[in-house]
Amino acid sequence: KHVEQINTPSEIANVTARAFHIAESGIPGPVVIAIPTDVLETKIETEDVKRIKINPPLAFPNKVKEVSDLLSDAKKPVLVVGGQVHISARSRKLVEEVANTHNLPVLCTYEHQDIISNDNLHYAGELGLRPPEPIRKNALEADLVLVVGHRFNGVPNMAYKFPSSKQMFIHVIPDPNTIGKIFRTDMGIVAESENFLEQLSNFVNNSKNNERNEWVKLCHYRYLNNDATATPRNANDGLDFAHFIDGLGEIAPENSIITNDAGNFTSWMHHRFPFKSTMKLIGSEIGAMGMGIPAGIAAALRFPDKQVFSIVGDGGALMTGSELATAVAHKAKIRVIVANNNHYGTIRYHQEVHFPTRDHYATKLVNPDFAKYGESFGLKCFTIHNTEEILPTIKSAMKVDGPSLIEFKMSLELNTSTTTISQLQTN
């Protein structure tokens, strides 16, 4: 064991460097750095670190013109937009302008469907977890795929089936190390998304024809009319979460912030909630449980004049629900919606899909009364048992001067927005 002692703040850099050198030299045993408390508490003078200005790469105009021409010649092109476009209001507006100018259906990547208003005729759906079949068709039937502002790894590529080898693929992203690494790419453009979209919006082509109009209409029709957007279903063990999402969609302000946790309950939100481009969706692309409530509290403290809705399953609420103490301490105006089916719904889904003949294992939860749980922190809480309570309860929760919580008694049988436990067991 080698011990390095720091006695003054000025020694920190040198001692740390020696410790790394020893560790890398192959000397066996751990290296311990000892720092006395008085050194940790010592005040030192230092200059503020200056912000580094990064000049984003700009698209070459001739390349943008080439993309415009290709879009004009294509019969069924789609524009796919992602995380980098999600950041700025200007980029969102440009997506709408490009969609109108070039007459394009727009698909949003996972957790970014708020980029373009979902009632826009050019909106074609979200490439999220298990998209409904009509949304998959919008992607897979395209002859040209233009992806802007997303690496196109993970969920949106539908297990690397989209774009296919039969589709022309144009990839626009500021990182040159990404292009061509995941998919065969017909044209790669190293450029910042907003700059590319702004240039593309200035080109006018001949895409306003009947054939293209029908393609755009079909894609939007498929988004509006599929199993996931159908009339809410009935079940004997609770309510269809579709009822709540539809109600929230009716009355949520157009500048709302929505944070969502990970779980099957989010399928209703992704497939049916009518996002506006003025809203902000904050969710985990990697599916980590537990971020919904903390993210919502942070958003409520950052934007105290906006309505913030945190949609979370019972499993996620059990993981980080204690953060409600922070919401109460700072009077964060967050509306927590706990979708409670007494299960880890996603894990149960996969057990039924992959091992349909086995009994489910370790998915049932022993939950508290979430309304009483919230009240124990000092929140104003509500519980929804029937559909008639939905709109009045949401309105009451929104009026609370501070945090509020709604527990929604949802069905387990209705396992996702499109499947049931019974169907999964028979398939």
Side-chain angles (χ1 to χ4, degrees):
K1 182 185 296 185
H2 184 91
V3 178
E4 289 282 340
Q5 175 75 38
I6 295 175
N7 297 308
T8 65
S10 61
E11 296 177 356
I12 291 176
N14 289 334
V15 171
T16 304
R18 279 203 308 274
F20 278 117
H21 176 72
I22 293 168
E24 293 174 353
S25 65
I27 298 175
V31 178
V32 178
I33 301 177
I35 308 176
T37 302
D38 59 341
V39 173
L40 291 174
E41 296 176 347
T42 301
K43 293 183 179 180
I44 61 173
E45 297 292 332
T46 183
E47 294 184 5
D48 292 337
V49 176
K50 294 182 179 179
R51 185 174 182 177
I52 300 174
K53 184 178 180 181
I54 299 176
N55 295 316
L58 307 181
F60 289 108
N62 63 322
K63 282 293 185 182
V64 181
K65 175 63 166 61
E66 188 176 350
V67 173
S68 177
D69 292 341
L70 290 169
L71 290 172
S72 180
D73 294 338
K75 287 185 169 59
K76 294 182 176 182
V78 292
L79 170 62
V80 181
V81 289
Q84 194 188 32
V85 179
H86 188 257
I87 298 171
S88 82
R90 176 60 180 152
S91 294
R92 292 170 177 237
K93 184 64 177 175
L94 286 168
V95 168
E96 186 177 331
E97 291 179 11
V98 167
N100 289 331
T101 301
H102 293 272
N103 209 11
L104 299 171
V106 179
L107 288 163
C108 296
T109 58
Y110 185 44
E111 302 286 10
H112 300 130
Q113 70 202 78
D114 54 329
I115 288 176
I116 181 171
S117 295
N118 296 177
D119 60 357
N120 188 303
L121 293 178
H122 293 272
Y123 180 68
E126 184 220 29
L127 296 173
L129 290 168
R130 300 184 292 276
E133 186 59 29
I135 306 301
R136 291 174 58 87
K137 287 182 178 180
N138 287 345
L140 296 173
E141 289 180 6
D143 56 359
L144 184 152
V145 180
L146 171 59
V147 174
V148 180
H150 198 278
R151 289 184 62 199
F152 225 52
N153 58 328
V155 172
N157 58 46
M158 295 188 289
Y160 300 94
K161 294 182 176 65
F162 172 68
S164 72
S165 58
K166 297 178 181 180
Q167 297 172 301
M168 174 173 281
F169 179 37
I170 303 172
H171 199 180
V172 181
I173 197 164
D175 179 11
N177 297 316
T178 295
I179 295 175
K181 295 297 177 66
I182 300 175
F183 288 96
R184 168 203 52 80
T185 307
D186 296 290
M187 182 186 297
I189 298 178
V190 180
E192 191 267 338
S193 298
E194 186 172 313
N195 173 261
F196 173 82
L197 291 169
E198 186 156 21
Q199 290 192 53
L200 186 60
S201 69
N202 292 326
F203 286 101
V204 179
N205 60 33
N206 62 358
S207 58
K208 302 276 185 174
N209 55 61
N210 288 335
E211 188 174 16
R212 181 68 67 81
N213 290 341
E214 290 304 311
W215 169 238
V216 172
K217 288 179 182 177
L218 175 61
C219 288
H220 189 62
Y221 175 84
R222 285 171 170 171
Y223 155 68
L224 292 173
N225 298 276
N226 61 73
D227 289 346
T229 56
T231 302
R233 299 161 292 172
N234 294 319
N236 295 325
D237 63 338
L239 300 175
D240 189 340
F241 198 42
H243 287 294
F244 186 90
I245 293 300
D246 290 351
L248 184 63
E250 280 185 40
I251 59 179
E254 293 196 356
N255 66 344
S256 298
I257 298 174
I258 296 179
T259 71
N260 68 290
D261 215 87
N264 273 4
F265 67 92
T266 64
S267 62
W268 283 270
M269 184 202 72
H270 287 297
H271 297 156
R272 339 178 39 107
F273 185 83
F275 279 96
K276 298 287 187 181
S277 62
T278 49
M279 294 177 174
K280 179 71 76 174
L281 171 62
I282 303 172
S284 170
E285 291 187 52
I286 61 172
M289 292 178 66
M291 73 156 283
I293 293 176
I297 295 170
L301 294 177
R302 177 67 178 83
F303 299 99
D305 297 328
K306 294 185 178 184
Q307 287 287 348
V308 178
F309 303 95
S310 179
I311 305 176
V312 59
D314 45 337
L318 289 176
M319 290 182 178
T320 54
S322 57
E323 291 295 336
L324 293 173
T326 303
V328 173
H330 296 279
K331 298 192 70 174
K333 294 182 181 179
I334 179 177
R335 317 307 171 200
V336 177
I337 298 99
V338 180
N340 181 11
N341 60 6
N342 295 292
H343 257 74
Y344 286 125
T346 303
I347 300 172
R348 176 69 183 271
Y349 170 90
H350 285 292
Q351 288 185 7
E352 298 291 358
V353 169
H354 299 289
F355 306 101
T357 61
R358 300 185 189 178
D359 292 336
H360 60 89
Y361 177 75
T363 59
K364 184 173 177 57
L365 295 172
V366 179
N367 287 333
D369 180 320
F370 281 103
K372 291 182 179 179
Y373 176 73
E375 288 172 356
S376 71
F377 288 96
L379 278 78
K380 177 67 175 177
C381 296
F382 309 84
T383 303
I384 293 176
H385 296 93
N386 57 68
T387 56
E388 291 75 19
E389 297 172 337
I390 291 174
L391 289 179
T393 299
I394 296 174
K395 291 176 182 178
S396 297
M398 289 169 58
K399 292 177 182 178
V400 176
D401 186 19
S404 56
L405 182 147
I406 301 171
E407 180 180 1
F408 185 86
K409 298 288 190 177
M410 69 179 290
S411 166
L412 172 65
E413 167 65 14
L414 306 179
N415 190 252
T416 74
S417 64
T418 57
T419 63
T420 68
I421 293 292
S422 299
Q423 289 170 343
L424 295 174
Q425 289 174 341
T426 55
N427 292 339

